[in-house]
Structure formats: C-alpha cells, structure tokens
Amino acid sequence: RERDTDLLGRVRGGDEQAYAELWERYAPAAAAVARSYWWSADADDLVAESFTRIYQAIQAGKGPTAAFKPYLFATMRNLAISWGRARREVPIEYIEAVEDPNSTDAAADADFDASLVSQAILALPERWQDVLWFGEVEHLSMHEIGKRLDISERAAAVLAFRAREVLRQAW
C-alpha cells in the first residue's frame, strides 16, 4: 500500500489515478464522518465537494503534502459549517419569529463535545486514527486490523490500547 505522501506527490505531478486511489481509500471514512455533521447538507455532497476542493487546491500548488486524511476531515468540517450557516440565514425582520433549535444547552454541549473529540482524534498520529477507526467504527477484530495495518494481531491490540489511552487523555 502506497503512502499518502507518495500518492500526493504523484497527484502534484499530474497523476489523476493517484488521487482516485486516495478517494477510494478515504471516501468510506469521509462518508461516515459527513453523516455525523447533523447541521450540514447531504453527506455524499459534502464528501464529493471536499474531495473536489482538495484536488483543486493541490492543482493550484496548495493543499496537503503528507497527511491527507486529517486535511480531508478538516476540509469537510469547515465546508459543513459553511453550508450550515448558509442554510440558516434568515432576513433580519424575521429574526425574532424564528427559534434556533441549536440554542439549547444540550445542543451547545453536544456540539462542544463533538468538536473536542474531533480535535483530539485529529491530533493523533494517522496510524492510531486508523486503528481506532477500524476497531470502533468498522468493528473489525484485532486479527483483521492487524492484516490491514500489516502487523500482528497482538501488535494491533497494543496499538489500539495506546491509541485509546492517548485519546482519552487528550479529550
């Protein structure tokens, strides 16, 4: 499996197939994350637009150079927030007549918690993010996680334990 850094280098050199490989690699995870953004539009649209914007940024000499997944997730979050704000705009003369369902204490706490968790996860090394994703979201066994990461089942279990512990402390 080719590293993200190598694929991004190929994309910068004009290799569209390398970007297609990044898309294939991260689209399922991106779709799951997009569905968690309750304030945004359609999850598929969010994923597609995020990948498109990153590709355009790379073509313009910007964008990620090493860690694609965190860059993708940050792009998705920013885009979802932007779309969410755009949908909630209300003419000022109607502002008192519209109650914001997200202004409750519970909604604010949930949004704050989600933001903290996202920041804590994105601060982890990519390999730790992967092991947590495979275990907690895809519900893979340690044996299957080990195969995906090309390590032993025991090494996968140790890696998962360390990743959970560091995530717990960071959060």
Side-chain angles (χ1 to χ4, degrees):
R1 176 174 145 149
E2 196 170 357
R3 294 180 345 192
D4 289 358
T5 306
D6 298 333
L7 288 171
L8 287 166
R10 287 178 37 207
V11 173
R12 287 184 188 289
D15 185 350
E16 293 177 358
Q17 186 58 39
Y19 199 72
E21 191 171 328
L22 286 167
W23 188 303
E24 186 176 303
R25 184 179 293 178
Y26 293 113
V33 169
R35 285 190 296 274
S36 74
Y37 294 145
W38 49 266
W39 66 86
S40 184
D42 181 58
D44 293 333
D45 289 345
L46 180 60
V47 171
E49 182 65 21
S50 297
F51 271 99
T52 300
R53 287 186 182 199
I54 293 171
Y55 184 75
Q56 290 169 342
I58 292 171
Q59 297 306 303
K62 301 174 183 171
T65 56
F68 184 80
K69 185 166 58 171
Y71 195 96
L72 171 63
F73 288 172
T75 300
M76 289 174 53
R77 182 176 187 276
N78 292 338
L79 187 57
I81 290 169
S82 172
W83 285 358
R85 284 184 185 141
R87 286 188 334 167
R88 285 188 291 211
E89 289 183 11
V90 176
I92 195 72
E93 60 267 16
Y94 300 113
I95 202 71
E96 290 182 292
V98 178
E99 185 176 326
D100 184 2
N102 300 320
S103 64
T104 66
D105 288 341
D109 288 345
D111 191 34
F112 181 72
D113 286 347
S115 175
L116 286 177
V117 171
S118 295
Q119 289 174 2
I121 289 172
L122 291 175
L124 295 174
E126 184 176 348
R127 192 166 176 86
W128 288 9
Q129 290 178 29
D130 289 344
V131 77
L132 290 173
W133 182 266
F134 294 148
E136 302 302 322
V137 177
E138 294 186 18
H139 305 292
L140 298 180
S141 69
M142 286 302 147
H143 177 74
E144 292 169 320
I145 293 171
K147 285 168 75 174
R148 288 220 183 157
L149 297 177
D150 198 28
I151 58 177
S152 71
E153 182 176 347
R154 179 162 166 62
V158 170
L159 187 63
F161 175 80
R162 288 182 182 156
R164 279 190 207 100
E165 191 56 37
V166 171
L167 178 62
R168 196 174 292 120
Q169 291 171 4
W171 187 58

